[in-house]
Short mmCIF file of all heavy atoms in Angstrom, two decimals:
data_model
loop_
_atom_site.label_atom_id
_atom_site.label_comp_id
_atom_site.label_asym_id
_atom_site.label_seq_id
_atom_site.Cartn_x
_atom_site.Cartn_y
_atom_site.Cartn_z
N VAL A 10 105.12 112.15 253.18
CA VAL A 10 105.97 110.98 253.84
C VAL A 10 106.22 109.99 252.77
O VAL A 10 107.44 109.26 252.82
CB VAL A 10 105.20 110.47 254.97
CG1 VAL A 10 103.98 109.74 254.59
CG2 VAL A 10 106.10 109.45 255.83
N PHE A 11 105.40 109.69 251.70
CA PHE A 11 105.79 108.73 250.80
C PHE A 11 106.84 109.10 249.87
O PHE A 11 107.60 108.34 249.31
CB PHE A 11 104.50 108.12 250.10
CG PHE A 11 103.48 107.42 250.95
CD1 PHE A 11 102.13 107.29 250.55
CD2 PHE A 11 103.84 107.07 252.17
CE1 PHE A 11 101.38 106.58 251.40
CE2 PHE A 11 102.99 106.52 253.12
CZ PHE A 11 101.72 106.37 252.79
N ILE A 14 109.91 108.36 251.56
CA ILE A 14 110.29 106.96 251.42
C ILE A 14 110.90 106.64 250.03
O ILE A 14 111.89 106.12 249.95
CB ILE A 14 109.04 106.15 251.69
CG1 ILE A 14 108.76 106.22 253.24
CG2 ILE A 14 109.30 104.69 251.19
CD1 ILE A 14 107.37 105.44 253.60
N ILE A 19 113.42 108.20 254.58
CA ILE A 19 112.97 107.41 255.75
C ILE A 19 112.71 106.08 255.28
O ILE A 19 112.48 105.85 254.15
CB ILE A 19 111.62 108.06 256.46
CG1 ILE A 19 110.48 108.20 255.44
CG2 ILE A 19 111.97 109.47 256.86
CD1 ILE A 19 109.28 108.59 255.98
N PHE A 33 104.98 98.42 250.45
CA PHE A 33 105.54 98.21 251.67
C PHE A 33 104.47 98.20 252.76
O PHE A 33 103.24 98.42 252.40
CB PHE A 33 106.44 99.37 251.99
CG PHE A 33 105.88 100.81 251.87
CD1 PHE A 33 105.21 101.48 252.83
CD2 PHE A 33 105.83 101.34 250.59
CE1 PHE A 33 104.69 102.66 252.79
CE2 PHE A 33 105.26 102.65 250.40
CZ PHE A 33 104.77 103.40 251.52
N GLU A 34 104.77 97.80 253.91
CA GLU A 34 103.88 97.61 255.04
C GLU A 34 103.36 98.90 255.56
O GLU A 34 104.16 99.81 255.79
CB GLU A 34 104.57 96.71 256.16
CG GLU A 34 104.96 95.34 255.77
CD GLU A 34 105.53 94.61 256.92
OE1 GLU A 34 105.65 95.14 258.01
OE2 GLU A 34 105.88 93.47 256.64
N ASP A 35 102.02 99.01 255.86
CA ASP A 35 101.57 100.18 256.55
C ASP A 35 102.10 100.17 257.90
O ASP A 35 102.11 99.21 258.61
CB ASP A 35 99.93 100.16 256.49
CG ASP A 35 99.37 101.45 256.96
OD1 ASP A 35 99.53 101.94 258.02
OD2 ASP A 35 98.79 102.12 255.91
N ILE A 36 102.41 101.42 258.54
CA ILE A 36 103.08 101.47 259.72
C ILE A 36 102.01 101.40 260.82
O ILE A 36 102.24 101.06 261.96
CB ILE A 36 103.66 102.92 259.89
CG1 ILE A 36 104.82 102.91 260.77
CG2 ILE A 36 102.74 104.05 260.13
CD1 ILE A 36 105.73 104.25 260.88
N HIS A 37 100.74 101.55 260.64
CA HIS A 37 99.69 101.27 261.52
C HIS A 37 98.63 100.32 260.87
O HIS A 37 97.47 100.75 260.50
CB HIS A 37 98.87 102.51 261.92
CG HIS A 37 99.74 103.52 262.71
ND1 HIS A 37 100.03 104.84 262.29
CD2 HIS A 37 100.52 103.40 263.73
CE1 HIS A 37 100.75 105.56 263.11
NE2 HIS A 37 101.13 104.69 264.02
N HIS A 43 98.44 94.40 255.88
CA HIS A 43 98.13 95.80 255.48
C HIS A 43 99.35 96.36 254.63
O HIS A 43 100.32 96.79 255.26
CB HIS A 43 97.75 96.65 256.56
CG HIS A 43 97.13 97.95 256.23
ND1 HIS A 43 96.50 98.80 257.13
CD2 HIS A 43 97.18 98.63 254.99
CE1 HIS A 43 96.10 99.84 256.57
NE2 HIS A 43 96.55 99.77 255.13
N LEU A 45 100.78 98.95 251.39
CA LEU A 45 100.59 100.18 250.68
C LEU A 45 101.14 99.98 249.30
O LEU A 45 102.43 99.72 249.32
CB LEU A 45 100.92 101.34 251.36
CG LEU A 45 100.33 101.76 252.77
CD1 LEU A 45 101.04 102.70 253.54
CD2 LEU A 45 98.83 102.10 252.56
N ASN A 93 92.04 106.24 248.89
CA ASN A 93 91.35 107.55 249.27
C ASN A 93 91.81 108.54 248.29
O ASN A 93 92.98 108.76 248.09
CB ASN A 93 91.61 107.91 250.74
CG ASN A 93 91.01 106.80 251.51
OD1 ASN A 93 89.95 106.34 251.45
ND2 ASN A 93 91.88 106.49 252.70
N GLY A 99 89.09 111.49 253.13
CA GLY A 99 89.92 111.23 254.37
C GLY A 99 91.34 110.89 253.93
O GLY A 99 92.15 110.45 254.88
N GLN A 100 91.68 111.14 252.69
CA GLN A 100 93.08 110.86 252.34
C GLN A 100 94.13 111.62 253.15
O GLN A 100 93.93 112.91 253.34
CB GLN A 100 93.34 111.20 250.91
CG GLN A 100 94.86 111.04 250.39
CD GLN A 100 95.00 111.33 249.01
OE1 GLN A 100 94.08 111.84 248.25
NE2 GLN A 100 96.06 111.06 248.40
N GLU A 101 95.07 111.04 253.82
CA GLU A 101 95.93 111.77 254.76
C GLU A 101 97.38 112.09 254.12
O GLU A 101 97.95 113.18 254.19
CB GLU A 101 96.23 111.01 256.09
CG GLU A 101 94.95 110.96 256.93
CD GLU A 101 95.12 110.05 258.04
OE1 GLU A 101 95.86 109.13 258.09
OE2 GLU A 101 94.37 110.32 259.05
N VAL A 102 97.85 111.09 253.28
CA VAL A 102 99.05 111.27 252.69
C VAL A 102 98.79 111.61 251.16
O VAL A 102 98.19 110.78 250.51
CB VAL A 102 100.00 110.03 252.78
CG1 VAL A 102 101.31 110.16 252.04
CG2 VAL A 102 100.23 109.69 254.23
N HIS A 106 98.07 106.03 246.96
CA HIS A 106 98.41 104.84 247.56
C HIS A 106 97.13 103.91 247.51
O HIS A 106 96.03 104.39 247.83
CB HIS A 106 99.03 104.88 248.98
CG HIS A 106 98.23 105.74 249.82
ND1 HIS A 106 98.34 107.13 249.82
CD2 HIS A 106 97.39 105.49 250.80
CE1 HIS A 106 97.67 107.75 250.68
NE2 HIS A 106 96.90 106.78 251.34
N HIS A 108 95.60 100.91 249.61
CA HIS A 108 95.78 100.04 250.73
C HIS A 108 95.30 98.63 250.35
O HIS A 108 94.26 98.47 249.71
CB HIS A 108 94.73 100.46 251.84
CG HIS A 108 94.94 101.86 252.41
ND1 HIS A 108 95.66 102.06 253.59
CD2 HIS A 108 94.64 103.00 251.89
CE1 HIS A 108 95.63 103.28 253.89
NE2 HIS A 108 95.03 103.93 252.88
P1 LIG B 1 95.37 107.59 253.85
O1 LIG B 1 94.48 107.96 255.00
O2 LIG B 1 94.63 106.67 252.79
O3 LIG B 1 96.07 108.64 253.27
O4 LIG B 1 96.36 106.51 254.41
C1 LIG B 1 97.58 106.89 254.83
C2 LIG B 1 98.30 105.58 255.47
O5 LIG B 1 99.75 105.87 255.42
C3 LIG B 1 97.90 105.28 256.83
O6 LIG B 1 97.34 103.98 256.80
C4 LIG B 1 99.08 105.30 257.66
O7 LIG B 1 99.14 104.37 258.71
C5 LIG B 1 100.19 105.13 256.60
N1 LIG B 1 101.45 105.66 256.87
C6 LIG B 1 101.82 106.97 257.26
N2 LIG B 1 103.15 107.05 257.36
C7 LIG B 1 103.63 105.94 257.11
C8 LIG B 1 104.93 105.37 257.02
N3 LIG B 1 106.07 106.15 257.28
N4 LIG B 1 105.32 104.15 256.70
C9 LIG B 1 104.24 103.30 256.38
N5 LIG B 1 102.84 103.68 256.38
C10 LIG B 1 102.68 104.89 256.75
#
Side-chain angles (χ1 to χ4, degrees):
V10 66
F11 296 166
I14 285 174
I19 61 173
F33 53 95
E34 294 179 5
D35 195 291
I36 204 167
H37 294 125
H43 186 169
L45 297 170
N93 295 317
Q100 181 180 4
E101 292 176 336
V102 180
H106 49 284
H108 299 258

